[in-house]
Amino acid sequence: MAIQKPKSIKAWAIGAVVLIVAVALAAFQFRGDGDSGGKPKTVTIAGIAYPFEGKQIYNGLTAVVIRDGWLKAELAKRGVALALTPVPTAVGGPLINEGFSGKRIDFAAYGDFPAIIAISGGVPLKLVAPMGQGLHSYLVVRNGLAASNIADLKGKRIALHRGRPWELPFSKLIDANGLKQSDFKIVNINPAATPAALASDNVDAAFLLSDGLLLEQKGAGRVIWSTKQAPADWRMRAELFGRGDFVDENPELTQLVVNAYIRAAAWSAQEANRDRVIKDAARGAMPVEIIARDYANDGIPWRERFSPTFTTELVDHYRSVADYAFARGLVRNKVDVDKLIDRRFVAPALRDARLESFWSPTAPAPAQAQAVAPKAS
Protein backbone atom coordinates (compact mmCIF):
# COMPACT_ATOMS: atom_id res chain seq x y z
CA MET A 1 0.00 0.00 0.00
CA ALA A 2 1.35 3.45 -0.84
CA ILE A 3 1.67 5.65 2.26
CA GLN A 4 2.49 9.22 1.40
CA LYS A 5 2.53 12.59 3.11
CA PRO A 6 2.00 15.77 1.13
CA LYS A 7 5.19 17.83 1.27
CA SER A 8 3.35 21.12 1.59
CA ILE A 9 1.74 20.14 4.87
CA LYS A 10 4.19 17.59 6.24
CA ALA A 11 6.24 19.98 8.37
CA TRP A 12 3.19 21.76 9.74
CA ALA A 13 1.46 18.51 10.62
CA ILE A 14 4.51 17.08 12.38
CA GLY A 15 5.07 20.26 14.35
CA ALA A 16 1.46 20.45 15.44
CA VAL A 17 1.35 16.85 16.58
CA VAL A 18 4.64 17.18 18.48
CA LEU A 19 3.27 20.20 20.32
CA ILE A 20 0.01 18.42 21.13
CA VAL A 21 1.86 15.36 22.42
CA ALA A 22 4.16 17.47 24.59
CA VAL A 23 1.22 19.24 26.20
CA ALA A 24 -0.73 16.04 26.68
CA LEU A 25 2.16 14.10 28.19
CA ALA A 26 2.37 16.70 30.93
CA ALA A 27 -1.09 15.59 32.04
CA PHE A 28 0.09 12.01 32.63
CA GLN A 29 1.75 12.69 35.97
CA PHE A 30 3.40 9.92 37.98
CA ARG A 31 1.04 8.13 40.32
CA GLY A 32 2.54 7.12 43.62
CA ASP A 33 -0.17 4.63 44.56
CA GLY A 34 -0.01 2.41 41.46
CA ASP A 35 2.09 -0.39 42.97
CA SER A 36 1.76 0.35 46.69
CA GLY A 37 -0.31 -2.74 47.38
CA GLY A 38 -2.79 -0.75 49.46
CA LYS A 39 -6.07 0.95 48.66
CA PRO A 40 -5.66 3.44 45.81
CA LYS A 41 -5.45 7.07 46.81
CA THR A 42 -6.93 8.16 43.50
CA VAL A 43 -9.06 6.90 40.66
CA THR A 44 -7.73 8.42 37.43
CA ILE A 45 -9.94 8.70 34.34
CA ALA A 46 -8.64 9.85 30.96
CA GLY A 47 -10.97 11.34 28.41
CA ILE A 48 -10.93 13.27 25.16
CA ALA A 49 -10.96 17.00 25.89
CA TYR A 50 -10.87 20.27 23.96
CA PRO A 51 -9.72 23.79 24.85
CA PHE A 52 -12.76 25.99 25.41
CA GLU A 53 -12.89 29.44 26.99
CA GLY A 54 -9.49 29.05 28.58
CA LYS A 55 -9.90 25.57 30.05
CA GLN A 56 -10.08 21.93 29.06
CA ILE A 57 -13.63 20.68 28.38
CA TYR A 58 -14.28 16.96 28.34
CA ASN A 59 -16.63 15.47 25.79
CA GLY A 60 -19.43 12.95 26.02
CA LEU A 61 -20.43 11.15 29.19
CA THR A 62 -17.20 12.08 30.96
CA ALA A 63 -18.31 15.71 30.92
CA VAL A 64 -21.65 14.76 32.49
CA VAL A 65 -19.90 12.65 35.16
CA ILE A 66 -17.75 15.65 36.08
CA ARG A 67 -20.64 18.11 36.15
CA ASP A 68 -22.85 15.77 38.16
CA GLY A 69 -20.27 15.43 40.92
CA TRP A 70 -21.71 12.13 42.21
CA LEU A 71 -18.62 10.04 41.50
CA LYS A 72 -16.28 12.55 43.11
CA ALA A 73 -18.44 12.65 46.24
CA GLU A 74 -18.80 8.86 46.49
CA LEU A 75 -15.07 8.34 46.12
CA ALA A 76 -14.36 11.01 48.73
CA LYS A 77 -16.53 9.10 51.25
CA ARG A 78 -14.04 6.25 50.84
CA GLY A 79 -10.97 8.45 51.12
CA VAL A 80 -10.24 8.29 47.39
CA ALA A 81 -9.72 11.29 45.11
CA LEU A 82 -10.97 11.56 41.55
CA ALA A 83 -8.35 12.66 39.01
CA LEU A 84 -9.16 13.57 35.40
CA THR A 85 -6.61 13.47 32.60
CA PRO A 86 -7.48 15.47 29.45
CA VAL A 87 -6.31 13.96 26.17
CA PRO A 88 -6.36 15.83 22.81
CA THR A 89 -8.34 14.03 20.13
CA ALA A 90 -5.40 14.26 17.71
CA VAL A 91 -3.38 11.79 19.79
CA GLY A 92 -6.17 10.27 21.86
CA GLY A 93 -5.79 6.53 21.32
CA PRO A 94 -1.97 6.26 21.47
CA LEU A 95 -1.69 8.55 24.48
CA ILE A 96 -4.42 6.73 26.42
CA ASN A 97 -2.76 3.42 25.61
CA GLU A 98 0.50 4.79 26.98
CA GLY A 99 -1.29 5.88 30.14
CA PHE A 100 -2.83 2.44 30.64
CA SER A 101 0.48 0.69 29.93
CA GLY A 102 2.34 2.84 32.44
CA LYS A 103 -0.44 2.44 35.05
CA ARG A 104 -0.93 6.20 35.14
CA ILE A 105 -4.64 5.94 34.39
CA ASP A 106 -7.29 3.49 35.59
CA PHE A 107 -10.18 4.16 33.20
CA ALA A 108 -10.76 5.83 29.87
CA ALA A 109 -13.68 6.42 27.54
CA TYR A 110 -12.15 5.92 24.12
CA GLY A 111 -12.29 4.07 20.81
CA ASP A 112 -12.53 0.41 19.88
CA PHE A 113 -9.54 0.22 17.53
CA PRO A 114 -6.83 1.66 19.82
CA ALA A 115 -8.17 -0.46 22.69
CA ILE A 116 -7.75 -3.64 20.64
CA ILE A 117 -4.21 -2.54 19.72
CA ALA A 118 -3.38 -2.01 23.41
CA ILE A 119 -4.75 -5.38 24.48
CA SER A 120 -2.84 -7.17 21.73
CA GLY A 121 0.31 -5.49 22.99
CA GLY A 122 -0.16 -6.89 26.48
CA VAL A 123 -2.15 -4.15 28.24
CA PRO A 124 -4.85 -6.00 30.24
CA LEU A 125 -7.87 -3.83 29.48
CA LYS A 126 -11.46 -4.65 30.36
CA LEU A 127 -14.53 -3.26 28.61
CA VAL A 128 -16.60 -2.47 31.71
CA ALA A 129 -19.45 -0.49 30.17
CA PRO A 130 -20.70 0.03 26.59
CA MET A 131 -21.39 3.64 25.64
CA GLY A 132 -24.12 3.81 23.03
CA GLN A 133 -24.44 2.98 19.37
CA GLY A 134 -21.23 4.26 17.84
CA LEU A 135 -20.09 7.22 15.76
CA HIS A 136 -20.49 7.94 12.06
CA SER A 137 -17.71 8.25 9.50
CA TYR A 138 -17.78 10.27 6.28
CA LEU A 139 -16.04 10.08 2.90
CA VAL A 140 -15.33 13.57 1.55
CA VAL A 141 -13.96 14.43 -1.89
CA ARG A 142 -12.23 17.65 -2.87
CA ASN A 143 -14.03 20.29 -4.84
CA GLY A 144 -13.95 19.78 -8.59
CA LEU A 145 -13.47 16.02 -8.43
CA ALA A 146 -16.18 14.12 -10.30
CA ALA A 147 -16.62 11.20 -7.92
CA SER A 148 -19.83 9.83 -6.45
CA ASN A 149 -18.66 6.63 -4.75
CA ILE A 150 -15.58 4.84 -3.44
CA ALA A 151 -14.99 3.02 -6.75
CA ASP A 152 -14.56 6.37 -8.49
CA LEU A 153 -11.59 7.05 -6.22
CA LYS A 154 -9.54 4.07 -7.36
CA GLY A 155 -5.95 5.23 -7.87
CA LYS A 156 -6.65 8.49 -6.04
CA ARG A 157 -5.05 9.91 -2.89
CA ILE A 158 -7.18 9.41 0.22
CA ALA A 159 -6.32 10.98 3.59
CA LEU A 160 -6.78 8.38 6.33
CA HIS A 161 -5.23 8.62 9.77
CA ARG A 162 -3.93 5.07 10.20
CA GLY A 163 -4.60 3.16 13.41
CA ARG A 164 -7.55 5.32 14.40
CA PRO A 165 -11.03 3.85 14.95
CA TRP A 166 -12.45 5.07 11.63
CA GLU A 167 -9.95 2.95 9.68
CA LEU A 168 -12.22 -0.08 10.23
CA PRO A 169 -15.32 1.38 8.51
CA PHE A 170 -13.08 2.54 5.66
CA SER A 171 -11.80 -1.01 5.27
CA LYS A 172 -15.33 -2.40 5.31
CA LEU A 173 -16.39 0.10 2.67
CA ILE A 174 -13.65 -0.87 0.23
CA ASP A 175 -14.09 -4.59 0.97
CA ALA A 176 -17.81 -4.35 0.24
CA ASN A 177 -16.98 -2.84 -3.15
CA GLY A 178 -14.45 -5.50 -4.09
CA LEU A 179 -11.51 -3.15 -3.63
CA LYS A 180 -8.26 -3.21 -1.63
CA GLN A 181 -6.35 -0.51 0.21
CA SER A 182 -3.59 -0.94 -2.37
CA ASP A 183 -6.08 0.33 -4.98
CA PHE A 184 -5.65 3.79 -3.44
CA LYS A 185 -2.77 6.04 -2.45
CA ILE A 186 -3.34 6.23 1.30
CA VAL A 187 -2.03 9.48 2.79
CA ASN A 188 -1.48 8.98 6.51
CA ILE A 189 -2.12 12.39 8.08
CA ASN A 190 -3.89 13.74 11.15
CA PRO A 191 -7.45 15.05 10.60
CA ALA A 192 -6.26 18.52 11.62
CA ALA A 193 -4.05 18.64 8.51
CA THR A 194 -6.76 17.37 6.17
CA PRO A 195 -8.46 20.68 5.26
CA ALA A 196 -5.17 22.13 4.00
CA ALA A 197 -4.43 18.93 2.10
CA LEU A 198 -7.79 19.04 0.33
CA ALA A 199 -7.56 22.77 -0.40
CA SER A 200 -4.10 22.39 -1.95
CA ASP A 201 -5.11 19.29 -3.97
CA ASN A 202 -2.51 17.22 -2.12
CA VAL A 203 -5.24 14.66 -1.51
CA ASP A 204 -8.34 13.87 -3.52
CA ALA A 205 -10.52 12.65 -0.67
CA ALA A 206 -10.55 12.11 3.08
CA PHE A 207 -12.17 9.64 5.45
CA LEU A 208 -13.14 11.31 8.72
CA LEU A 209 -15.63 11.46 11.56
CA SER A 210 -17.97 14.47 11.81
CA ASP A 211 -15.01 16.59 10.66
CA GLY A 212 -16.19 15.56 7.19
CA LEU A 213 -19.48 17.40 7.66
CA LEU A 214 -17.58 20.46 8.82
CA LEU A 215 -15.40 20.39 5.70
CA GLU A 216 -18.54 20.30 3.57
CA GLN A 217 -20.13 23.15 5.52
CA LYS A 218 -17.03 25.28 4.96
CA GLY A 219 -17.07 24.52 1.24
CA ALA A 220 -13.80 22.58 1.38
CA GLY A 221 -15.22 19.37 0.00
CA ARG A 222 -18.30 17.24 -0.63
CA VAL A 223 -19.58 14.25 1.37
CA ILE A 224 -20.33 11.34 -0.98
CA TRP A 225 -20.85 8.53 1.55
CA SER A 226 -21.31 7.93 5.28
CA THR A 227 -21.90 5.02 7.63
CA LYS A 228 -25.54 6.12 7.79
CA GLN A 229 -25.82 4.17 4.54
CA ALA A 230 -24.14 1.08 6.03
CA PRO A 231 -24.92 -1.67 8.58
CA ALA A 232 -24.80 -0.62 12.22
CA ASP A 233 -21.64 -2.67 12.79
CA TRP A 234 -19.70 -0.33 10.53
CA ARG A 235 -19.90 2.54 13.02
CA MET A 236 -16.81 3.01 15.17
CA ARG A 237 -17.48 2.61 18.87
CA ALA A 238 -16.17 4.13 22.07
CA GLU A 239 -16.67 2.47 25.45
CA LEU A 240 -15.59 2.75 29.07
CA PHE A 241 -12.44 0.66 29.49
CA GLY A 242 -10.67 -0.13 32.74
CA ARG A 243 -7.14 -1.32 33.42
CA GLY A 244 -7.61 -5.01 34.11
CA ASP A 245 -5.47 -5.28 37.24
CA PHE A 246 -7.12 -2.22 38.78
CA VAL A 247 -10.60 -3.56 37.97
CA ASP A 248 -9.90 -6.96 39.51
CA GLU A 249 -8.20 -5.55 42.61
CA ASN A 250 -10.77 -2.77 43.17
CA PRO A 251 -14.23 -4.00 42.17
CA GLU A 252 -16.01 -1.61 44.55
CA LEU A 253 -14.31 1.44 43.04
CA THR A 254 -14.89 0.10 39.54
CA GLN A 255 -18.59 -0.30 40.33
CA LEU A 256 -18.76 3.34 41.38
CA VAL A 257 -17.16 4.45 38.12
CA VAL A 258 -19.56 2.35 36.04
CA ASN A 259 -22.51 3.60 38.11
CA ALA A 260 -21.44 7.18 37.43
CA TYR A 261 -21.21 6.66 33.67
CA ILE A 262 -24.58 4.95 33.56
CA ARG A 263 -26.10 7.80 35.54
CA ALA A 264 -24.58 10.15 32.95
CA ALA A 265 -25.97 8.01 30.13
CA ALA A 266 -29.44 8.07 31.72
CA TRP A 267 -29.39 11.86 31.92
CA SER A 268 -28.16 12.20 28.34
CA ALA A 269 -30.82 9.76 27.08
CA GLN A 270 -33.71 11.90 28.28
CA GLU A 271 -35.41 13.60 25.34
CA ALA A 272 -35.71 16.77 27.42
CA ASN A 273 -31.91 16.98 27.58
CA ARG A 274 -31.25 16.50 23.86
CA ASP A 275 -30.50 20.17 23.13
CA ARG A 276 -28.14 20.41 26.10
CA VAL A 277 -26.28 17.26 25.01
CA ILE A 278 -25.82 18.65 21.49
CA LYS A 279 -24.76 22.06 22.79
CA ASP A 280 -22.23 20.52 25.17
CA ALA A 281 -20.82 18.33 22.41
CA ALA A 282 -20.15 21.45 20.34
CA ARG A 283 -18.00 23.21 22.94
CA GLY A 284 -14.57 23.77 21.49
CA ALA A 285 -15.01 21.08 18.86
CA MET A 286 -17.78 21.39 16.29
CA PRO A 287 -20.60 23.87 15.59
CA VAL A 288 -23.97 22.90 17.04
CA GLU A 289 -25.46 22.45 13.58
CA ILE A 290 -22.74 19.91 12.67
CA ILE A 291 -23.38 17.87 15.81
CA ALA A 292 -27.13 17.91 15.13
CA ARG A 293 -26.58 16.90 11.51
CA ASP A 294 -24.28 14.07 12.56
CA TYR A 295 -27.06 12.69 14.78
CA ALA A 296 -29.82 13.19 12.22
CA ASN A 297 -31.35 10.71 9.76
CA ASP A 298 -29.71 7.51 10.95
CA GLY A 299 -32.72 5.79 12.48
CA ILE A 300 -31.26 5.51 15.99
CA PRO A 301 -33.74 6.53 18.73
CA TRP A 302 -32.30 9.18 21.01
CA ARG A 303 -32.54 6.96 24.07
CA GLU A 304 -30.65 4.11 22.40
CA ARG A 305 -27.73 6.35 21.52
CA PHE A 306 -26.62 6.06 25.14
CA SER A 307 -27.54 2.45 25.91
CA PRO A 308 -24.92 0.74 28.13
CA THR A 309 -26.16 -2.79 27.50
CA PHE A 310 -23.99 -5.66 26.28
CA THR A 311 -25.65 -6.79 23.08
CA THR A 312 -24.78 -9.52 20.62
CA GLU A 313 -24.06 -6.78 18.09
CA LEU A 314 -21.52 -5.17 20.42
CA VAL A 315 -19.65 -8.45 20.93
CA ASP A 316 -19.69 -9.17 17.20
CA HIS A 317 -18.37 -5.69 16.52
CA TYR A 318 -15.34 -6.17 18.76
CA ARG A 319 -14.67 -9.54 17.20
CA SER A 320 -14.66 -7.87 13.78
CA VAL A 321 -12.25 -5.18 15.03
CA ALA A 322 -9.95 -7.83 16.50
CA ASP A 323 -10.09 -9.90 13.30
CA TYR A 324 -9.35 -6.88 11.11
CA ALA A 325 -6.41 -5.66 13.18
CA PHE A 326 -4.84 -9.12 13.17
CA ALA A 327 -5.53 -9.89 9.49
CA ARG A 328 -4.01 -6.55 8.40
CA GLY A 329 -0.89 -7.08 10.50
CA LEU A 330 -1.67 -4.09 12.71
CA VAL A 331 -1.25 -6.29 15.79
CA ARG A 332 0.86 -9.38 16.36
CA ASN A 333 -1.48 -11.22 18.69
CA LYS A 334 -5.15 -12.02 18.14
CA VAL A 335 -7.32 -10.52 20.88
CA ASP A 336 -9.74 -12.80 22.75
CA VAL A 337 -12.86 -10.62 22.87
CA ASP A 338 -14.55 -12.88 25.43
CA LYS A 339 -11.76 -12.03 27.89
CA LEU A 340 -11.98 -8.34 27.02
CA ILE A 341 -15.64 -7.94 27.95
CA ASP A 342 -16.36 -7.71 31.68
CA ARG A 343 -20.09 -7.93 32.40
CA ARG A 344 -19.88 -7.71 36.20
CA PHE A 345 -20.71 -4.06 36.63
CA VAL A 346 -23.40 -2.90 34.21
CA ALA A 347 -26.30 -4.97 35.58
CA PRO A 348 -25.79 -3.78 39.20
CA ALA A 349 -25.47 -0.20 37.94
CA LEU A 350 -28.76 -0.48 36.04
CA ARG A 351 -30.46 -1.93 39.12
CA ASP A 352 -29.05 0.83 41.31
CA ALA A 353 -30.45 3.52 39.01
CA ARG A 354 -33.72 1.64 38.35
CA LEU A 355 -32.96 1.53 34.63
CA GLU A 356 -33.50 -2.17 33.97
CA SER A 357 -36.59 -1.60 31.84
CA PHE A 358 -35.40 1.66 30.36
CA TRP A 359 -32.79 -0.03 28.18
CA SER A 360 -34.16 -3.54 27.88
CA PRO A 361 -35.14 -4.92 24.44
CA THR A 362 -38.80 -4.52 25.45
CA ALA A 363 -38.43 -1.15 27.10
CA PRO A 364 -41.59 0.93 27.55
CA ALA A 365 -42.02 4.30 25.96
CA PRO A 366 -39.68 6.96 27.39
CA ALA A 367 -42.51 8.66 29.29
CA GLN A 368 -43.21 5.41 31.14
CA ALA A 369 -39.65 4.39 31.93
CA GLN A 370 -38.64 4.99 35.53
CA ALA A 371 -35.18 6.39 34.92
CA VAL A 372 -33.27 8.00 37.75
CA ALA A 373 -30.98 10.48 36.04
CA PRO A 374 -28.37 12.74 37.66
CA LYS A 375 -28.83 16.43 38.03
CA ALA A 376 -27.23 18.76 35.51
CA SER A 377 -26.27 22.30 36.23
Side-chain angles (χ1 to χ4, degrees):
M1 175 190 344
I3 305 294
Q4 302 176 349
K5 291 186 179 180
K7 294 181 180 179
S8 61
I9 62 171
K10 182 177 180 180
W12 179 90
I14 292 174
V17 171
V18 168
L19 178 61
I20 290 170
V21 171
V23 172
L25 284 174
F28 282 117
Q29 299 178 0
F30 175 76
R31 292 185 57 200
D33 59 271
D35 297 306
S36 63
K39 184 176 74 171
K41 297 177 183 178
T42 61
V43 168
T44 303
I45 301 174
I48 301 299
Y50 306 92
F52 181 72
E53 296 182 348
K55 56 184 178 180
Q56 290 290 330
I57 298 295
Y58 289 82
N59 76 345
L61 298 185
T62 301
V64 182
V65 168
I66 296 169
R67 185 171 67 235
D68 178 39
W70 180 88
L71 178 59
K72 182 178 181 179
E74 290 298 316
L75 290 174
K77 292 176 185 177
R78 294 157 176 82
V80 179
L82 174 62
L84 282 303
T85 298
V87 179
T89 186
V91 289
L95 203 64
I96 288 173
N97 283 349
E98 182 181 326
F100 273 132
S101 179
K103 297 189 176 183
R104 292 184 292 272
I105 62 174
D106 306 309
F107 298 94
Y110 80 133
D112 45 18
F113 208 14
I116 290 293
I117 291 172
I119 297 161
S120 177
V123 181
L125 297 187
K126 296 286 188 180
L127 196 172
V128 294
M131 291 174 55
Q133 302 298 320
L135 303 175
H136 288 298
S137 303
Y138 298 86
L139 178 61
V140 185
V141 299
R142 62 175 173 79
N143 292 326
L145 182 65
S148 59
N149 54 59
I150 187 67
D152 292 340
L153 295 174
K154 190 171 181 179
K156 302 293 186 181
R157 300 156 298 176
I158 301 180
L160 173 70
H161 200 192
R162 300 300 309 277
R164 302 305 295 274
W166 52 93
E167 183 174 343
L168 180 61
F170 176 75
S171 176
K172 291 188 174 185
L173 174 61
I174 62 176
D175 287 349
N177 284 272
L179 300 166
K180 305 180 297 296
Q181 287 205 15
S182 57
D183 290 325
F184 310 93
K185 297 175 182 177
I186 302 298
V187 182
N188 184 20
I189 58 174
N190 190 283
T194 302
L198 280 172
S200 61
D201 292 347
N202 278 306
V203 298
D204 301 298
F207 199 82
L208 302 160
L209 296 181
S210 55
D211 317 54
L213 293 175
L214 185 61
L215 284 175
E216 185 173 69
Q217 184 193 60
K218 292 182 174 180
R222 175 170 52 90
V223 173
I224 63 170
W225 182 89
S226 80
T227 47
K228 294 181 183 182
Q229 303 163 236
D233 181 63
W234 289 29
R235 294 192 292 269
M236 65 150 281
R237 295 189 59 95
E239 325 292 350
L240 179 64
F241 292 90
R243 184 162 48 84
D245 51 345
F246 183 94
V247 169
D248 290 339
E249 293 167 8
N250 302 280
E252 180 190 7
L253 297 180
T254 299
Q255 188 66 66
L256 289 176
V257 173
V258 174
N259 286 6
Y261 272 83
I262 286 180
R263 285 169 56 90
W267 179 84
S268 301
Q270 304 300 311
E271 187 65 37
N273 296 328
R274 179 198 289 251
D275 290 346
R276 176 66 186 272
V277 169
I278 292 174
K279 181 179 178 181
D280 286 350
R283 294 180 301 176
M286 295 284 169
V288 168
E289 58 270 24
I290 294 298
I291 302 297
R293 185 179 166 195
D294 187 38
Y295 282 142
N297 302 319
D298 62 5
I300 304 173
W302 184 256
R303 176 176 58 179
E304 293 305 313
R305 292 183 185 280
F306 306 95
S307 172
T309 55
F310 287 102
T311 63
T312 301
E313 290 76 15
L314 178 139
V315 177
D316 289 344
H317 174 81
Y318 276 88
R319 287 199 176 111
S320 73
V321 176
D323 290 345
Y324 172 80
F326 184 69
R328 294 297 194 278
L330 298 173
V331 298
R332 292 183 178 180
N333 304 302
K334 183 74 172 292
V335 172
D336 186 340
V337 171
D338 291 330
K339 293 181 179 179
L340 162 66
I341 293 175
D342 193 334
R343 303 173 186 267
R344 289 178 288 173
F345 305 101
V346 167
L350 291 173
R351 287 196 299 270
D352 182 71
R354 290 182 287 163
L355 291 165
E356 296 156 291
S357 64
F358 187 65
W359 274 310
S360 73
T362 56
Q368 297 172 311
Q370 299 299 310
V372 179
K375 65 182 185 300
S377 58

